[in-house]
Amino acid sequence: MENKLPNNWVETLLCDAVFFQEGPGLRTIQMGPTGMPFLNIRTFNDDETIDKSKCKFVKLEEFKNKYEHFLLNEGDIVVSSSGTLGKAIVIKKEDLPIMLNTSVIRFRAISEQLVSQKFLKYFLKTDYFYRQIQGQKTGMAIDNFGPSHLLQMQMVIPPIAEQHRIVAKLDDVMQKVETNKQRLEKIPKLLKRFRQSVLAAAVSGRLTEDWREKNGIVEEWEGKKLAECGEISGGITLNSKRQLLPTKMPYLRVGNVYSNEIKLGEIKTIGVLKREVNRALLKKGDLLIVEGNGSPDQIGRVAQWKGEIENCLHQNHLIKFRQTSASEARYILYYLLSFQGREQIEEASKSTSGLYTLSLTKVSNLSIELPPLEEQKAIVRRVEQLFAFADKLEARYTKAKAMLDKLPQSILAKAFRGELVPQNEDDEPASVLLEKIKAEKARMQKVRPRGWKVKDYPMEDEPLPMAAEGGVKYRKKKK
């Protein structure tokens, strides 16, 4: 531990205070459509619950007398030990019956007089424990850790009375953090609805009602096809022969174009013929529409090119719209982003095959309600003012979320340095309790029956501390 611990705390090997048990390595031949469900990393939900619908099953004839001691109990803490490391979940009554698998490790305090199970749960979520996992993990393609690594890991233990005070404080603080997270999670949806409301008002004329009245504008909006508002064209068709061409130029792909956003993280080059360049060359202000070939929510993503890359082309699965003097490209963009525009795009992209795809003809025939050019510009100004306001709120949300995401670990670190609740000099030191537990472990190991085998004793039998041998074992109850 990097920080000095309070006087009545102790730092000790994890195995001195905690039972741990790794699940068995199950073979496919042992599994069936029904039987005893077992855990795997896919059953661990992000909200710290178990999804039993994702469990696989060990046949009951395989389970009986062989794997019964891997059955979990209510209150057991299970931690993922392969792939995604360190996910910790407390087993609830409704999760039962369920058993361990090789990618999951069970944790339980040796004695509630030494370590509270709730305190252990919080410890297993600390960066202190996770850093030890990272330092001990093995594996080439997939990270993993097991009992042999846990035997070398350490744990900090305060007096049991202070543990209860820490747990009570953590329960209270973490609940407040979770409540604030839930409130914060509503903001992106609210901002999305706000932006859509702005666009709906923009393309229906409601956003500029006062502007028309103030300027005495009585001109009516015109219904036009998109092809009447500008030039629509396709891009470069990809093929393997292009890499042999001497002239290489950067180009945009479908993966670069999102809703009102062009991502330039990965730009590739393509070989082109000189006669192709003018048709596929991008000009500042061009709109790019994803032709796509999939789900309706991915079809027709549209964004404006701002000239970030000089002499850049676009591939044929991106359809280009270039404004004429009779239209404002940003207004066209906002129309296509609006609910009205999206509805048209999804309807136009339907096909008898069940796939959704656009074409030059379909895009050209999209209808648009076009106000006079001056009102288009007024609409664009107002939309961008309101969007800028939403962007500021989103930036504040992102900053707040980042801070809130870090807060639990900050609180846990403070708790396990002894800074979350005050110490009480009258508490029995953890070192005294630890010595008592070690003595009890030694006594129990001496009375282990001769010829004892793990498989002979089911889970409901009394636990026998065997952490030094890598996990939890069980001995038969006395008659």
Side-chain angles (χ1 to χ4, degrees):
M1 194 79 179
E2 296 133 358
N3 299 80
K4 185 178 178 181
L5 294 174
N7 290 332
N8 54 359
W9 287 41
V10 67
E11 186 172 26
T12 185
L13 287 172
L14 184 67
C15 60
D16 286 339
V18 177
F19 290 126
F20 43 83
Q21 179 192 34
E22 185 176 35
L26 301 169
R27 295 173 295 167
T28 304
I29 196 171
Q30 296 175 289
M31 301 176 196
T34 60
M36 180 58 64
F38 62 87
L39 290 175
N40 59 69
I41 188 58
R42 291 184 298 277
T43 61
F44 282 49
N45 291 329
D46 290 336
D47 62 355
E48 299 184 2
T49 59
I50 296 294
D51 186 351
K52 288 191 74 173
S53 69
K54 295 179 181 177
C55 283
K56 293 183 179 180
F57 299 89
V58 176
K59 297 172 186 175
L60 287 180
E61 59 268 29
E62 289 285 336
F63 169 76
K64 289 179 181 177
N65 299 318
K66 189 184 294 185
Y67 297 126
E68 288 168 319
H69 58 293
F70 291 111
L71 273 175
L72 289 161
N73 293 330
E74 181 182 359
D76 282 342
I77 304 165
V78 290
V79 176
S80 57
S81 59
S82 182
T84 302
L85 304 182
K87 272 192 169 185
I89 293 176
V90 178
I91 297 297
K92 299 181 177 63
K93 187 175 182 179
E94 55 265 30
D95 298 325
L96 304 176
I98 197 166
M99 66 172 279
L100 290 171
N101 181 30
T102 188
S103 61
V104 181
I105 297 176
R106 173 220 309 265
F107 290 81
R108 182 174 282 278
I110 287 175
S111 169
E112 283 278 334
Q113 294 178 336
L114 174 65
V115 176
S116 153
Q117 191 73 355
K118 285 188 175 181
F119 182 83
L120 175 59
K121 176 195 73 172
Y122 280 121
F123 173 77
L124 295 174
K125 292 182 177 183
T126 62
D127 273 344
Y128 173 55
F129 177 63
Y130 187 71
R131 285 196 302 270
Q132 292 186 80
I133 291 176
Q134 292 298 308
Q136 294 283 344
K137 70 183 182 182
T138 56
M140 296 291 289
I142 300 176
D143 290 340
N144 58 76
F145 71 96
S148 62
H149 305 114
L150 290 168
L151 287 171
Q152 302 174 60
M153 296 185 192
Q154 293 187 307
M155 179 179 185
V156 293
I157 305 174
I160 189 65
E162 187 173 345
Q163 288 181 42
H164 292 312
R165 295 195 297 272
I166 290 171
V167 166
K169 186 68 174 178
L170 284 173
D171 283 347
D172 179 54
V173 174
M174 292 302 187
Q175 180 57 52
K176 290 176 181 175
V177 171
E178 185 58 33
T179 299
N180 285 325
K181 276 187 176 181
Q182 290 174 5
R183 288 173 180 166
L184 207 59
E185 284 170 2
K186 296 177 182 178
I187 292 177
K189 292 180 181 178
L190 290 173
L191 288 174
K192 184 177 180 180
R193 285 204 293 268
F194 171 76
R195 289 186 176 105
Q196 275 299 322
S197 296
V198 169
L199 292 176
V203 300
S204 66
R206 296 195 309 275
L207 193 62
T208 44
E209 281 177 344
D210 63 327
W211 180 88
R212 289 194 298 275
E213 185 176 341
K214 180 181 177 180
N215 289 280
I217 303 295
V218 293
E219 290 182 66
E220 301 216 351
W221 292 26
E222 294 182 80
K224 289 193 173 184
K225 300 293 185 185
L226 194 58
E228 298 178 79
C229 304
E231 300 172 359
I232 297 169
S233 59
I236 299 290
T237 303
L238 307 184
N239 59 58
S240 57
K241 295 179 180 178
R242 288 194 174 278
Q243 293 308 112
L244 302 176
L245 297 174
T247 303
K248 302 285 195 305
M249 296 180 67
Y251 76 105
L252 296 188
R253 299 166 295 122
V254 168
N256 299 119
V257 179
Y258 290 80
S259 180
N260 201 23
E261 181 183 12
I262 291 180
K263 297 183 179 181
L264 302 174
E266 187 181 359
I267 299 296
K268 296 187 176 182
T269 59
I270 189 171
V272 291
L273 299 170
K274 288 184 179 180
R275 65 173 181 269
E276 299 175 308
V277 172
N278 285 339
R279 177 174 56 84
L281 191 64
L282 288 169
K283 181 180 176 182
K284 185 177 179 180
D286 288 345
L287 303 186
L288 289 167
I289 304 165
V290 174
E291 174 191 296
N293 194 3
S295 61
D297 59 325
Q298 299 299 316
I299 297 302
R301 298 193 307 254
V302 56
Q304 188 173 42
W305 178 245
K306 297 177 182 177
E308 296 92 332
I309 299 172
E310 191 176 354
N311 295 323
C312 189
L313 310 174
H314 66 98
Q315 72 168 111
N316 62 314
H317 292 302
L318 294 173
I319 297 171
K320 179 172 65 189
F321 170 86
R322 181 168 292 169
Q323 71 181 64
T324 64
S325 58
S327 66
E328 167 60 51
R330 295 291 288 176
Y331 174 81
I332 304 293
L333 170 68
Y334 293 139
Y335 186 89
L336 295 177
L337 290 170
S338 72
F339 174 77
Q340 294 92 323
R342 289 297 311 163
E343 195 172 44
Q344 275 200 70
I345 287 170
E346 289 179 20
E347 185 61 33
S349 63
K350 287 180 182 177
S351 66
T352 54
S353 65
L355 297 174
Y356 289 79
T357 184
L358 290 171
S359 64
L360 292 176
T361 301
K362 288 178 179 179
V363 170
S364 296
N365 287 327
L366 291 174
S367 298
I368 183 168
E369 289 295 320
L370 200 67
L373 186 57
E374 284 306 309
E375 187 167 359
Q376 290 180 47
K377 292 178 179 179
I379 289 170
V380 167
R381 284 194 300 272
R382 293 194 174 188
V383 168
E384 292 182 348
Q385 287 171 356
L386 292 167
F387 274 20
F389 170 73
D391 290 343
K392 286 181 181 179
L393 290 179
E394 192 164 38
R396 291 174 64 183
Y397 154 78
T398 301
K399 185 177 180 180
K401 184 178 183 303
M403 292 175 64
L404 202 56
D405 287 344
K406 292 177 181 177
L407 192 56
Q409 278 303 324
S410 177
I411 295 167
L412 286 172
K414 192 173 182 180
F416 285 86
R417 289 195 303 263
E419 300 171 2
L420 191 64
V421 299
Q423 279 79 48
N424 186 336
E425 292 182 0
D426 295 331
D427 290 341
E428 184 175 31
S431 58
V432 175
L433 285 173
L434 184 59
E435 289 306 313
K436 290 179 181 180
I437 294 300
K438 285 180 178 179
E440 180 63 9
K441 281 175 62 179
R443 185 193 69 78
M444 292 177 72
Q445 287 185 342
K446 286 180 181 178
V447 301
R448 184 173 65 179
R450 184 172 301 196
W452 175 86
K453 292 181 181 178
V454 173
K455 68 179 182 180
D456 294 337
Y457 308 104
M459 188 65 200
E460 62 267 16
D461 285 344
E462 183 182 349
L464 176 68
M466 293 292 290
E469 293 184 21
V472 182
K473 312 295 187 202
Y474 294 86
R475 67 178 173 84
K476 227 169 190 181
K477 289 180 180 176
K478 293 179 181 178
K479 301 292 185 184

